[in-house]
Amino acid sequence: MDDAQREKGPWKRNLYVLWFCTFVAGIAFSEIMPFLSLYVGQMGDFTKQQLTFWSGLIYAITFLVTAIVSPMWGSLADRTGRKVMLIRASLGIAVSMALMGLCTNVWALFACRFFQGFFSGYIPNAQALVASQTPRRKAGSALGTLVTGGVSGTLFGPIVGGILAQVFSIRNTFFITAGLLVVVCLMSAFMVEESFVPIKRVKGAPRESLLHKVADPKLIVILLVSTMIVQTGNASISPIISLYIKELMHNQGAITVVAGVIAALPGISNILAAPRLGRYGDKHGSGRVLIGCYLFAVLVYFPQGIIGSVVGLGVLRLFVGVSDAGLFPTIQTLLTKNTPPETTSAIFSWNQSFQALGNMFGAFLGGALAGMFDYNVVFISTACLLLINLIFLRLSEPQLLQRTDKA
């Protein structure tokens, strides 16, 4: 499908519908995080060490399974269409959420989280559908806009989940979340349009590996690894941010409220910045946006580890949303512009696998560093990790600043 055909298609309507769906899905996926360990604690008389072990294991298993199965779902999406995958993911996770609300022991909860990871993939398939139908000259802008839905939902989710758990109880929050995902499933089924033509394979022809289908395999691998590193940095902060705020506030005042507000600040700046950075990348080159946002991220992460006030931390977290608004969508835009359309879902699913690995590694890294040293070391190590990633990008892809749109 060329750009003229894509321009006449339903890409704008799909973008608006899927923005809302990814926003709701992002909320649903993240709103149980604030109280998951509390829910685990209700299922037995655990010591502190046992509770930490089970909470970490139940948290990580979803991301591990997601990393393993995402390439399989991506390959299937390239044969059957992305809309089918949207319905499959939202309905499967809705069922897993409802089952979590029925759990009475940690083994059952572990199995449900495993089940959730197996049926993951809603947001990357939404991104792949939009990328495959949007005119390539507008890919950066469209993906930048779409990413704000999932990211903002993920960042606002813990606040929504905390309120729902307080008002309706933890167990009932799982049922409410399942209901939200059923709405997402219905909207995906009846409001999203996809003109999908499967790629016909010659019977008996040897299967070509995914990287052999792209012009620059090295760039694709580097971008996937970069996704993992950026997400590792983000995820290393999540487990300790509220504890760091508690320390800065000297254990006085409305700590949970302040922590919720600061957790939401990156989402606000992300919504404002992502579409603008996407449009700039479409005009001046996505590589420029990527390098600039890496530098900006290093500059805003490092001082978070030495800041002495909650207000200063809040301002810097607001800036984190700007850097994320350029990093994730731009990596996805570069993946889109440097891969053939028939491999879009597979590449985006691999991207989800690396992002899931980043979530898993980040959670372990943040906890380990905070335990061995202090909370501020986590922020400083994240800045160093992103700086190393940036140097590696510049050395391995020196022409990245010159990269512009590819048809």
Side-chain angles (χ1 to χ4, degrees):
M1 187 186 295
D2 58 27
D3 264 19
Q5 291 174 304
R6 293 184 180 202
E7 190 69 61
K8 296 176 183 177
W11 69 273
K12 287 185 179 179
R13 176 183 171 182
N14 286 342
L15 176 60
Y16 300 144
V17 172
L18 289 174
W19 186 97
F20 179 79
C21 287
T22 54
F23 177 73
V24 175
I27 289 176
F29 300 154
S30 65
E31 69 181 3
I32 66 171
M33 289 303 105
F35 55 75
L36 187 61
S37 58
L38 298 176
Y39 193 49
V40 172
Q42 294 177 1
M43 297 182 178
D45 185 17
F46 301 115
T47 64
K48 182 178 179 180
Q49 186 177 14
Q50 289 172 328
L51 180 59
T52 303
F53 169 77
W54 276 109
S55 297
L57 187 65
I58 288 171
Y59 177 83
I61 187 60
T62 299
F63 298 115
L64 178 61
V65 176
T66 296
I68 295 170
V69 304
S70 288
M72 175 193 73
W73 290 127
S75 178
L76 184 61
D78 283 328
R79 298 197 301 271
T80 63
R82 291 94 188 183
K83 180 175 176 177
V84 175
M85 294 295 105
L86 295 177
I87 297 170
R88 183 268 311 165
S90 52
L91 185 59
I93 298 175
V95 172
S96 70
M97 287 287 182
L99 291 175
M100 283 185 218
L102 300 174
C103 290
T104 56
N105 62 73
V106 289
W107 286 107
L109 186 59
F110 178 86
C112 290
R113 290 282 294 172
F114 181 99
F115 184 72
Q116 179 182 340
F118 186 77
F119 279 96
S120 61
Y122 186 89
I123 290 177
N125 274 290
Q127 293 166 345
L129 190 150
V130 168
S132 66
Q133 295 192 329
T134 302
R136 293 235 160 175
R137 59 190 175 84
K138 297 180 180 178
S141 173
L143 285 171
T145 299
L146 182 64
V147 166
T148 63
V151 171
S152 302
T154 300
L155 290 165
F156 282 116
I159 300 175
V160 175
I163 294 171
L164 289 176
Q166 184 69 32
V167 175
F168 298 105
S169 82
I170 293 176
R171 191 173 296 276
N172 286 331
T173 299
F174 285 102
F175 300 128
I176 296 170
T177 303
L180 290 174
L181 288 166
V182 170
V183 172
V184 169
C185 178
L186 293 174
M187 289 183 68
S188 302
F190 297 108
M191 298 181 70
V192 173
E193 296 180 37
E194 181 183 26
S195 300
F196 179 74
V197 180
I199 304 298
K200 292 185 178 180
R201 291 186 171 88
V202 179
K203 191 174 181 179
R207 285 179 174 265
E208 190 178 9
S209 71
L210 183 63
L211 290 178
H212 286 158
K213 297 178 182 178
V214 301
D216 191 349
K218 186 181 77 168
L219 174 66
I220 301 304
V221 172
I222 290 170
L223 290 173
L224 292 174
V225 172
S226 295
T227 290
M228 182 180 70
I229 292 174
V230 173
Q231 190 58 34
T232 297
N234 277 341
S236 68
I237 305 300
S238 299
I240 58 96
I241 185 69
S242 58
L243 298 174
Y244 189 46
I245 291 168
K246 181 180 179 180
E247 186 178 272
L248 290 177
M249 295 178 66
H250 307 290
N251 203 21
Q252 295 179 348
I255 296 169
T256 56
V257 175
V258 173
V261 171
I262 289 180
L265 288 174
I268 297 171
S269 54
N270 191 289
I271 291 174
L272 297 173
R276 291 168 174 80
L277 290 172
R279 286 193 292 270
Y280 182 89
D282 286 338
K283 290 181 180 178
H284 304 286
S286 299
R288 294 177 183 274
V289 175
L290 187 64
I291 297 300
C293 286
Y294 264 109
L295 283 171
F296 187 69
V298 172
L299 292 174
V300 298
Y301 265 112
F302 187 82
Q304 290 177 62
I306 57 177
I307 199 73
S309 77
V310 172
V311 174
L313 180 64
V315 171
L316 291 169
R317 295 303 294 171
L318 189 70
F319 289 150
V320 167
V322 177
S323 64
D324 279 350
L327 290 174
F328 285 117
T330 305
I331 289 173
Q332 290 161 350
T333 299
L334 285 167
L335 288 172
T336 299
K337 293 174 179 178
N338 290 277
T339 55
E342 65 268 19
T343 64
T344 301
S345 288
I347 290 293
F348 272 65
S349 293
W350 275 104
N351 195 53
Q352 186 193 18
S353 287
F354 278 80
Q355 193 167 354
L357 288 172
N359 271 313
M360 187 177 67
F361 292 144
F364 290 137
L365 178 67
L369 289 176
M372 288 188 292
F373 303 103
D374 201 356
Y375 303 128
N376 62 329
V377 174
V378 182
F379 295 94
I380 296 170
S381 66
T382 296
C384 294
L385 188 65
L386 292 173
L387 181 59
I388 293 169
N389 191 192
L390 171 60
I391 294 171
F392 178 70
L393 266 174
R394 292 293 287 124
L395 293 177
S396 58
E397 287 289 332
Q399 76 279 22
L400 195 63
L401 283 173
Q402 283 72 50
R403 286 187 181 272
T404 54
D405 288 11
K406 288 189 177 182

